[in-house]
Amino acid sequence: MSKKTGKRFANVWDALADSPEEAANLTLRSDLMDEIEGIIKSNGWTQAEAAKRCGVTQPRINDLLRGRIARFSLDALVNIASALGRKVRLRLEDAA
């Protein structure tokens, strides 16, 4: 049995990433993926319809909906959001 470290993390990416930089990148990608998924689901689009609207293939949308974060860069996700008529904004905060 392993010992619990008792260390608390702000989110799962802080716990899994090798560095704060990687955790920040994963957090941003995850947040964007969640937002895009929400847009797709709230509109009731099929994967094929969402792909057409996003300018990507249906398998790419499947990857997004299944949370395959490693397959998406921030650039790709910003492009998808833009294709859906959304503006992506970034806010910097002091690290805790």
Side-chain angles (χ1 to χ4, degrees):
M1 208 179 258
S2 64
K3 287 185 178 181
K4 291 185 179 181
T5 63
K7 190 171 184 178
R8 293 194 181 266
F9 298 95
N11 65 49
V12 68
W13 303 118
D14 289 336
L16 296 175
D18 292 330
S19 69
E21 297 82 7
E22 181 184 10
N25 188 286
L26 288 165
T27 299
L28 287 173
R29 286 191 282 159
S30 176
D31 290 348
L32 275 170
M33 289 175 75
D34 286 345
E35 291 291 329
I36 294 166
E37 179 180 5
I39 293 165
I40 292 168
K41 288 186 175 182
S42 69
N43 283 290
W45 296 331
T46 64
Q47 288 186 15
E49 186 174 4
K52 185 175 180 180
R53 291 175 183 271
C54 294
V56 297
T57 64
Q58 180 275 323
R60 192 88 166 119
I61 292 297
N62 185 272
D63 286 341
L64 189 144
L65 297 177
R66 291 182 175 270
R68 294 183 176 137
I69 195 167
R71 297 189 179 181
F72 293 89
S73 67
L74 278 173
D75 285 350
L77 293 165
V78 168
N79 291 342
I80 291 170
S82 181
L84 293 173
R86 301 310 198 274
K87 184 185 291 186
V88 177
R89 293 181 183 228
L90 177 67
R91 185 181 75 237
L92 296 178
E93 300 173 350
D94 288 334

Short mmCIF file of all heavy atoms in Angstrom, two decimals, residues 7-61:
data_model
loop_
_atom_site.label_atom_id
_atom_site.label_comp_id
_atom_site.label_asym_id
_atom_site.label_seq_id
_atom_site.Cartn_x
_atom_site.Cartn_y
_atom_site.Cartn_z
N LYS A 7 -0.54 16.10 -0.08
CA LYS A 7 -0.37 17.30 -0.90
C LYS A 7 -1.65 17.54 -1.69
O LYS A 7 -2.24 16.63 -2.25
CB LYS A 7 0.81 17.11 -1.86
CG LYS A 7 1.20 18.35 -2.58
CD LYS A 7 2.50 18.16 -3.34
CE LYS A 7 2.92 19.45 -3.98
NZ LYS A 7 4.18 19.33 -4.69
N ARG A 8 -2.08 18.80 -1.72
CA ARG A 8 -3.28 19.17 -2.46
C ARG A 8 -2.88 19.93 -3.71
O ARG A 8 -1.93 20.69 -3.71
CB ARG A 8 -4.19 20.04 -1.61
CG ARG A 8 -4.77 19.29 -0.44
CD ARG A 8 -5.91 20.07 0.16
NE ARG A 8 -6.47 19.39 1.29
CZ ARG A 8 -7.51 18.57 1.23
NH1 ARG A 8 -8.10 18.34 0.10
NH2 ARG A 8 -7.96 17.99 2.32
N PHE A 9 -3.66 19.70 -4.77
CA PHE A 9 -3.40 20.34 -6.05
C PHE A 9 -4.62 21.14 -6.48
O PHE A 9 -5.75 20.78 -6.15
CB PHE A 9 -3.08 19.29 -7.11
CG PHE A 9 -1.84 18.49 -6.80
CD1 PHE A 9 -1.92 17.26 -6.15
CD2 PHE A 9 -0.59 18.98 -7.14
CE1 PHE A 9 -0.79 16.54 -5.86
CE2 PHE A 9 0.56 18.25 -6.85
CZ PHE A 9 0.46 17.04 -6.21
N ALA A 10 -4.37 22.21 -7.23
CA ALA A 10 -5.46 23.06 -7.72
C ALA A 10 -6.33 22.30 -8.71
O ALA A 10 -7.53 22.50 -8.78
CB ALA A 10 -4.91 24.32 -8.35
N ASN A 11 -5.71 21.42 -9.50
CA ASN A 11 -6.46 20.59 -10.45
C ASN A 11 -5.65 19.35 -10.77
O ASN A 11 -4.50 19.22 -10.36
CB ASN A 11 -6.83 21.39 -11.72
CG ASN A 11 -5.63 21.81 -12.52
OD1 ASN A 11 -4.74 21.02 -12.80
ND2 ASN A 11 -5.59 23.08 -12.89
N VAL A 12 -6.25 18.45 -11.50
CA VAL A 12 -5.62 17.17 -11.80
C VAL A 12 -4.33 17.35 -12.59
O VAL A 12 -3.37 16.59 -12.43
CB VAL A 12 -6.61 16.22 -12.52
CG1 VAL A 12 -6.95 16.73 -13.91
CG2 VAL A 12 -6.06 14.81 -12.58
N TRP A 13 -4.28 18.36 -13.45
CA TRP A 13 -3.09 18.57 -14.28
C TRP A 13 -1.89 18.96 -13.43
O TRP A 13 -0.77 18.59 -13.75
CB TRP A 13 -3.36 19.58 -15.38
CG TRP A 13 -4.52 19.17 -16.22
CD1 TRP A 13 -5.70 19.83 -16.39
CD2 TRP A 13 -4.63 17.98 -17.01
NE1 TRP A 13 -6.53 19.12 -17.22
CE2 TRP A 13 -5.89 17.98 -17.62
CE3 TRP A 13 -3.77 16.90 -17.25
CZ2 TRP A 13 -6.33 16.97 -18.45
CZ3 TRP A 13 -4.21 15.88 -18.08
CH2 TRP A 13 -5.47 15.92 -18.67
N ASP A 14 -2.10 19.70 -12.36
CA ASP A 14 -1.00 20.04 -11.46
C ASP A 14 -0.41 18.78 -10.84
O ASP A 14 0.79 18.70 -10.60
CB ASP A 14 -1.47 20.99 -10.36
CG ASP A 14 -1.77 22.39 -10.87
OD1 ASP A 14 -1.22 22.78 -11.92
OD2 ASP A 14 -2.54 23.11 -10.21
N ALA A 15 -1.26 17.82 -10.58
CA ALA A 15 -0.81 16.57 -9.98
C ALA A 15 -0.09 15.67 -10.98
O ALA A 15 0.86 14.97 -10.62
CB ALA A 15 -1.99 15.82 -9.37
N LEU A 16 -0.52 15.69 -12.23
CA LEU A 16 0.02 14.76 -13.23
C LEU A 16 1.20 15.29 -14.03
O LEU A 16 2.02 14.51 -14.50
CB LEU A 16 -1.10 14.35 -14.20
CG LEU A 16 -2.26 13.58 -13.60
CD1 LEU A 16 -3.33 13.34 -14.64
CD2 LEU A 16 -1.78 12.27 -13.00
N ALA A 17 1.27 16.59 -14.20
CA ALA A 17 2.29 17.19 -15.06
C ALA A 17 3.66 17.15 -14.39
O ALA A 17 3.78 17.15 -13.16
CB ALA A 17 1.92 18.61 -15.41
N ASP A 18 4.69 17.15 -15.22
CA ASP A 18 6.07 17.14 -14.73
C ASP A 18 6.57 18.52 -14.33
O ASP A 18 7.57 18.64 -13.64
CB ASP A 18 7.01 16.55 -15.79
CG ASP A 18 6.76 15.07 -16.02
OD1 ASP A 18 6.34 14.38 -15.07
OD2 ASP A 18 6.99 14.60 -17.15
N SER A 19 5.88 19.56 -14.79
CA SER A 19 6.31 20.92 -14.48
C SER A 19 5.10 21.84 -14.42
O SER A 19 4.04 21.52 -14.98
CB SER A 19 7.28 21.43 -15.56
OG SER A 19 6.58 21.63 -16.78
N PRO A 20 5.24 22.98 -13.78
CA PRO A 20 4.13 23.95 -13.75
C PRO A 20 3.77 24.44 -15.15
O PRO A 20 2.59 24.69 -15.44
CB PRO A 20 4.68 25.10 -12.90
CG PRO A 20 5.78 24.53 -12.10
CD PRO A 20 6.35 23.41 -12.93
N GLU A 21 4.75 24.53 -16.03
CA GLU A 21 4.49 24.96 -17.40
C GLU A 21 3.61 23.95 -18.14
O GLU A 21 2.66 24.32 -18.83
CB GLU A 21 5.80 25.18 -18.16
CG GLU A 21 6.68 26.28 -17.60
CD GLU A 21 7.54 25.85 -16.41
OE1 GLU A 21 7.58 24.65 -16.07
OE2 GLU A 21 8.16 26.73 -15.79
N GLU A 22 3.94 22.69 -17.98
CA GLU A 22 3.15 21.64 -18.62
C GLU A 22 1.73 21.61 -18.04
O GLU A 22 0.75 21.45 -18.77
CB GLU A 22 3.81 20.28 -18.45
CG GLU A 22 3.06 19.15 -19.11
CD GLU A 22 3.66 17.77 -18.85
OE1 GLU A 22 4.57 17.64 -18.00
OE2 GLU A 22 3.20 16.83 -19.50
N ALA A 23 1.61 21.78 -16.74
CA ALA A 23 0.29 21.80 -16.10
C ALA A 23 -0.55 22.95 -16.62
O ALA A 23 -1.75 22.79 -16.87
CB ALA A 23 0.45 21.90 -14.58
N ALA A 24 0.07 24.12 -16.80
CA ALA A 24 -0.66 25.28 -17.33
C ALA A 24 -1.15 25.01 -18.74
O ALA A 24 -2.30 25.32 -19.08
CB ALA A 24 0.23 26.52 -17.29
N ASN A 25 -0.30 24.41 -19.56
CA ASN A 25 -0.69 24.10 -20.94
C ASN A 25 -1.82 23.09 -20.97
O ASN A 25 -2.80 23.25 -21.70
CB ASN A 25 0.53 23.59 -21.71
CG ASN A 25 0.26 23.44 -23.18
OD1 ASN A 25 -0.42 22.51 -23.59
ND2 ASN A 25 0.80 24.35 -23.97
N LEU A 26 -1.71 22.05 -20.18
CA LEU A 26 -2.77 21.03 -20.12
C LEU A 26 -4.07 21.61 -19.60
O LEU A 26 -5.16 21.26 -20.10
CB LEU A 26 -2.32 19.86 -19.23
CG LEU A 26 -1.24 18.96 -19.83
CD1 LEU A 26 -0.62 18.07 -18.76
CD2 LEU A 26 -1.81 18.12 -20.97
N THR A 27 -3.99 22.50 -18.63
CA THR A 27 -5.20 23.12 -18.09
C THR A 27 -5.91 23.95 -19.15
O THR A 27 -7.13 23.86 -19.32
CB THR A 27 -4.85 23.99 -16.87
OG1 THR A 27 -4.28 23.17 -15.86
CG2 THR A 27 -6.08 24.69 -16.32
N LEU A 28 -5.15 24.75 -19.90
CA LEU A 28 -5.75 25.55 -20.96
C LEU A 28 -6.38 24.68 -22.04
O LEU A 28 -7.49 24.94 -22.50
CB LEU A 28 -4.71 26.48 -21.58
CG LEU A 28 -4.29 27.67 -20.73
CD1 LEU A 28 -3.13 28.40 -21.39
CD2 LEU A 28 -5.46 28.61 -20.52
N ARG A 29 -5.66 23.65 -22.45
CA ARG A 29 -6.20 22.76 -23.48
C ARG A 29 -7.46 22.06 -23.00
O ARG A 29 -8.46 21.96 -23.72
CB ARG A 29 -5.16 21.73 -23.91
CG ARG A 29 -4.08 22.34 -24.78
CD ARG A 29 -3.20 21.29 -25.40
NE ARG A 29 -2.24 20.80 -24.43
CZ ARG A 29 -1.60 19.64 -24.52
NH1 ARG A 29 -1.81 18.82 -25.53
NH2 ARG A 29 -0.72 19.29 -23.61
N SER A 30 -7.45 21.60 -21.76
CA SER A 30 -8.61 20.93 -21.20
C SER A 30 -9.81 21.88 -21.13
O SER A 30 -10.93 21.50 -21.48
CB SER A 30 -8.26 20.42 -19.79
OG SER A 30 -9.37 19.85 -19.17
N ASP A 31 -9.58 23.10 -20.68
CA ASP A 31 -10.67 24.08 -20.60
C ASP A 31 -11.26 24.37 -21.97
O ASP A 31 -12.48 24.43 -22.13
CB ASP A 31 -10.17 25.38 -19.97
CG ASP A 31 -9.87 25.26 -18.48
OD1 ASP A 31 -10.24 24.24 -17.86
OD2 ASP A 31 -9.24 26.20 -17.94
N LEU A 32 -10.41 24.53 -22.97
CA LEU A 32 -10.90 24.78 -24.33
C LEU A 32 -11.68 23.58 -24.86
O LEU A 32 -12.73 23.75 -25.48
CB LEU A 32 -9.74 25.11 -25.27
CG LEU A 32 -9.29 26.56 -25.29
CD1 LEU A 32 -7.99 26.70 -26.08
CD2 LEU A 32 -10.36 27.44 -25.90
N MET A 33 -11.18 22.40 -24.62
CA MET A 33 -11.88 21.20 -25.08
C MET A 33 -13.26 21.10 -24.43
O MET A 33 -14.24 20.77 -25.10
CB MET A 33 -11.04 19.95 -24.79
CG MET A 33 -9.81 19.85 -25.68
SD MET A 33 -8.72 18.47 -25.27
CE MET A 33 -9.66 17.09 -25.91
N ASP A 34 -13.34 21.41 -23.14
CA ASP A 34 -14.62 21.37 -22.45
C ASP A 34 -15.59 22.38 -23.04
O ASP A 34 -16.78 22.07 -23.22
CB ASP A 34 -14.44 21.66 -20.96
CG ASP A 34 -13.83 20.51 -20.19
OD1 ASP A 34 -13.79 19.38 -20.72
OD2 ASP A 34 -13.38 20.75 -19.04
N GLU A 35 -15.12 23.58 -23.32
CA GLU A 35 -15.98 24.61 -23.90
C GLU A 35 -16.48 24.21 -25.29
O GLU A 35 -17.66 24.38 -25.61
CB GLU A 35 -15.23 25.95 -23.99
CG GLU A 35 -14.96 26.59 -22.65
CD GLU A 35 -16.20 27.10 -21.96
OE1 GLU A 35 -17.16 27.51 -22.64
OE2 GLU A 35 -16.22 27.08 -20.72
N ILE A 36 -15.58 23.68 -26.10
CA ILE A 36 -15.96 23.27 -27.46
C ILE A 36 -16.96 22.11 -27.39
O ILE A 36 -17.96 22.09 -28.11
CB ILE A 36 -14.72 22.90 -28.29
CG1 ILE A 36 -13.87 24.16 -28.53
CG2 ILE A 36 -15.12 22.24 -29.61
CD1 ILE A 36 -12.46 23.88 -29.03
N GLU A 37 -16.71 21.16 -26.51
CA GLU A 37 -17.65 20.05 -26.33
C GLU A 37 -19.02 20.57 -25.91
O GLU A 37 -20.05 20.10 -26.41
CB GLU A 37 -17.13 19.08 -25.28
CG GLU A 37 -18.07 17.92 -25.02
CD GLU A 37 -17.56 16.94 -23.97
OE1 GLU A 37 -16.51 17.19 -23.35
OE2 GLU A 37 -18.25 15.92 -23.78
N GLY A 38 -19.05 21.54 -25.03
CA GLY A 38 -20.31 22.13 -24.59
C GLY A 38 -21.07 22.76 -25.73
O GLY A 38 -22.30 22.63 -25.83
N ILE A 39 -20.36 23.45 -26.62
CA ILE A 39 -21.00 24.08 -27.79
C ILE A 39 -21.60 23.00 -28.69
O ILE A 39 -22.74 23.12 -29.15
CB ILE A 39 -19.98 24.93 -28.57
CG1 ILE A 39 -19.55 26.14 -27.73
CG2 ILE A 39 -20.55 25.37 -29.91
CD1 ILE A 39 -18.31 26.85 -28.25
N ILE A 40 -20.84 21.95 -28.93
CA ILE A 40 -21.31 20.87 -29.80
C ILE A 40 -22.56 20.21 -29.20
O ILE A 40 -23.57 20.03 -29.90
CB ILE A 40 -20.19 19.83 -30.02
CG1 ILE A 40 -19.07 20.45 -30.86
CG2 ILE A 40 -20.73 18.56 -30.67
CD1 ILE A 40 -17.78 19.63 -30.90
N LYS A 41 -22.50 19.89 -27.92
CA LYS A 41 -23.63 19.20 -27.28
C LYS A 41 -24.85 20.11 -27.15
O LYS A 41 -25.98 19.65 -27.37
CB LYS A 41 -23.20 18.66 -25.92
CG LYS A 41 -22.27 17.47 -26.06
CD LYS A 41 -21.95 16.84 -24.74
CE LYS A 41 -21.12 15.59 -24.98
NZ LYS A 41 -20.81 14.88 -23.74
N SER A 42 -24.64 21.38 -26.82
CA SER A 42 -25.80 22.27 -26.65
C SER A 42 -26.52 22.53 -27.96
O SER A 42 -27.71 22.84 -27.97
CB SER A 42 -25.37 23.59 -26.01
OG SER A 42 -24.59 24.36 -26.89
N ASN A 43 -25.81 22.39 -29.07
CA ASN A 43 -26.43 22.56 -30.39
C ASN A 43 -26.98 21.25 -30.94
O ASN A 43 -27.64 21.25 -31.98
CB ASN A 43 -25.43 23.16 -31.37
CG ASN A 43 -25.25 24.64 -31.15
OD1 ASN A 43 -26.15 25.43 -31.43
ND2 ASN A 43 -24.09 25.03 -30.62
N GLY A 44 -26.69 20.14 -30.26
CA GLY A 44 -27.21 18.85 -30.69
C GLY A 44 -26.62 18.36 -32.00
O GLY A 44 -27.25 17.58 -32.70
N TRP A 45 -25.40 18.79 -32.30
CA TRP A 45 -24.77 18.39 -33.55
C TRP A 45 -24.25 16.96 -33.48
O TRP A 45 -23.76 16.51 -32.45
CB TRP A 45 -23.59 19.31 -33.88
CG TRP A 45 -23.97 20.74 -34.12
CD1 TRP A 45 -25.14 21.23 -34.60
CD2 TRP A 45 -23.12 21.88 -33.90
NE1 TRP A 45 -25.09 22.60 -34.69
CE2 TRP A 45 -23.87 23.02 -34.28
CE3 TRP A 45 -21.83 22.04 -33.44
CZ2 TRP A 45 -23.34 24.31 -34.19
CZ3 TRP A 45 -21.31 23.33 -33.35
CH2 TRP A 45 -22.06 24.44 -33.73
N THR A 46 -24.33 16.28 -34.59
CA THR A 46 -23.65 14.99 -34.71
C THR A 46 -22.16 15.29 -34.83
O THR A 46 -21.76 16.42 -35.09
CB THR A 46 -24.12 14.24 -35.97
OG1 THR A 46 -23.73 15.00 -37.12
CG2 THR A 46 -25.62 13.99 -35.95
N GLN A 47 -21.36 14.25 -34.70
CA GLN A 47 -19.92 14.45 -34.87
C GLN A 47 -19.60 14.92 -36.29
O GLN A 47 -18.74 15.78 -36.48
CB GLN A 47 -19.15 13.16 -34.55
CG GLN A 47 -19.13 12.85 -33.07
CD GLN A 47 -18.25 11.67 -32.74
OE1 GLN A 47 -17.42 11.23 -33.55
NE2 GLN A 47 -18.40 11.14 -31.54
N ALA A 48 -20.31 14.39 -37.26
CA ALA A 48 -20.07 14.79 -38.66
C ALA A 48 -20.43 16.26 -38.87
O ALA A 48 -19.69 17.00 -39.53
CB ALA A 48 -20.88 13.90 -39.60
N GLU A 49 -21.55 16.69 -38.30
CA GLU A 49 -21.95 18.08 -38.45
C GLU A 49 -20.98 19.00 -37.71
O GLU A 49 -20.60 20.05 -38.22
CB GLU A 49 -23.37 18.28 -37.92
CG GLU A 49 -23.90 19.68 -38.18
CD GLU A 49 -25.35 19.83 -37.77
OE1 GLU A 49 -25.95 18.89 -37.23
OE2 GLU A 49 -25.88 20.93 -38.01
N ALA A 50 -20.58 18.62 -36.51
CA ALA A 50 -19.62 19.41 -35.75
C ALA A 50 -18.30 19.52 -36.50
O ALA A 50 -17.69 20.60 -36.56
CB ALA A 50 -19.40 18.79 -34.38
N ALA A 51 -17.86 18.43 -37.10
CA ALA A 51 -16.60 18.43 -37.85
C ALA A 51 -16.67 19.42 -39.00
O ALA A 51 -15.73 20.20 -39.22
CB ALA A 51 -16.30 17.03 -38.37
N LYS A 52 -17.78 19.40 -39.71
CA LYS A 52 -17.94 20.32 -40.83
C LYS A 52 -17.89 21.77 -40.35
O LYS A 52 -17.22 22.61 -40.95
CB LYS A 52 -19.27 20.04 -41.54
CG LYS A 52 -19.48 20.84 -42.79
CD LYS A 52 -20.76 20.42 -43.49
CE LYS A 52 -20.96 21.25 -44.75
NZ LYS A 52 -22.18 20.86 -45.46
N ARG A 53 -18.58 22.07 -39.26
CA ARG A 53 -18.61 23.42 -38.73
C ARG A 53 -17.26 23.85 -38.18
O ARG A 53 -16.92 25.03 -38.20
CB ARG A 53 -19.67 23.53 -37.64
CG ARG A 53 -21.08 23.43 -38.18
CD ARG A 53 -22.09 23.42 -37.03
NE ARG A 53 -23.44 23.25 -37.51
CZ ARG A 53 -24.25 24.24 -37.85
NH1 ARG A 53 -23.84 25.49 -37.78
NH2 ARG A 53 -25.48 23.98 -38.25
N CYS A 54 -16.50 22.90 -37.67
CA CYS A 54 -15.19 23.20 -37.07
C CYS A 54 -14.05 23.17 -38.09
O CYS A 54 -12.93 23.54 -37.76
CB CYS A 54 -14.88 22.19 -35.97
SG CYS A 54 -15.98 22.30 -34.55
N GLY A 55 -14.33 22.67 -39.28
CA GLY A 55 -13.29 22.59 -40.29
C GLY A 55 -12.27 21.49 -40.04
O GLY A 55 -11.10 21.61 -40.41
N VAL A 56 -12.74 20.42 -39.39
CA VAL A 56 -11.86 19.27 -39.12
C VAL A 56 -12.60 18.00 -39.53
O VAL A 56 -13.76 18.05 -39.92
CB VAL A 56 -11.45 19.21 -37.63
CG1 VAL A 56 -10.63 20.42 -37.23
CG2 VAL A 56 -12.66 19.05 -36.72
N THR A 57 -11.97 16.86 -39.38
CA THR A 57 -12.60 15.59 -39.72
C THR A 57 -13.44 15.07 -38.55
O THR A 57 -13.24 15.48 -37.39
CB THR A 57 -11.54 14.52 -40.07
OG1 THR A 57 -10.75 14.28 -38.90
CG2 THR A 57 -10.66 14.98 -41.22
N GLN A 58 -14.35 14.15 -38.86
CA GLN A 58 -15.17 13.54 -37.81
C GLN A 58 -14.31 12.79 -36.78
O GLN A 58 -14.56 12.91 -35.58
CB GLN A 58 -16.23 12.63 -38.43
CG GLN A 58 -17.14 11.95 -37.42
CD GLN A 58 -16.55 10.65 -36.89
OE1 GLN A 58 -15.90 9.91 -37.61
NE2 GLN A 58 -16.78 10.38 -35.62
N PRO A 59 -13.27 12.04 -37.20
CA PRO A 59 -12.44 11.38 -36.19
C PRO A 59 -11.76 12.38 -35.25
O PRO A 59 -11.54 12.09 -34.08
CB PRO A 59 -11.41 10.61 -37.02
CG PRO A 59 -12.10 10.34 -38.32
CD PRO A 59 -12.93 11.58 -38.57
N ARG A 60 -11.47 13.57 -35.76
CA ARG A 60 -10.86 14.61 -34.92
C ARG A 60 -11.85 15.07 -33.85
O ARG A 60 -11.48 15.27 -32.69
CB ARG A 60 -10.45 15.78 -35.82
CG ARG A 60 -9.57 16.78 -35.17
CD ARG A 60 -8.12 16.35 -35.34
NE ARG A 60 -7.27 17.47 -35.00
CZ ARG A 60 -6.39 17.44 -34.00
NH1 ARG A 60 -6.20 16.34 -33.33
NH2 ARG A 60 -5.67 18.49 -33.74
N ILE A 61 -13.11 15.22 -34.23
CA ILE A 61 -14.14 15.58 -33.26
C ILE A 61 -14.32 14.46 -32.24
O ILE A 61 -14.47 14.70 -31.04
CB ILE A 61 -15.48 15.91 -33.96
CG1 ILE A 61 -15.34 17.19 -34.78
CG2 ILE A 61 -16.63 16.02 -32.95
CD1 ILE A 61 -15.04 18.45 -33.98
#
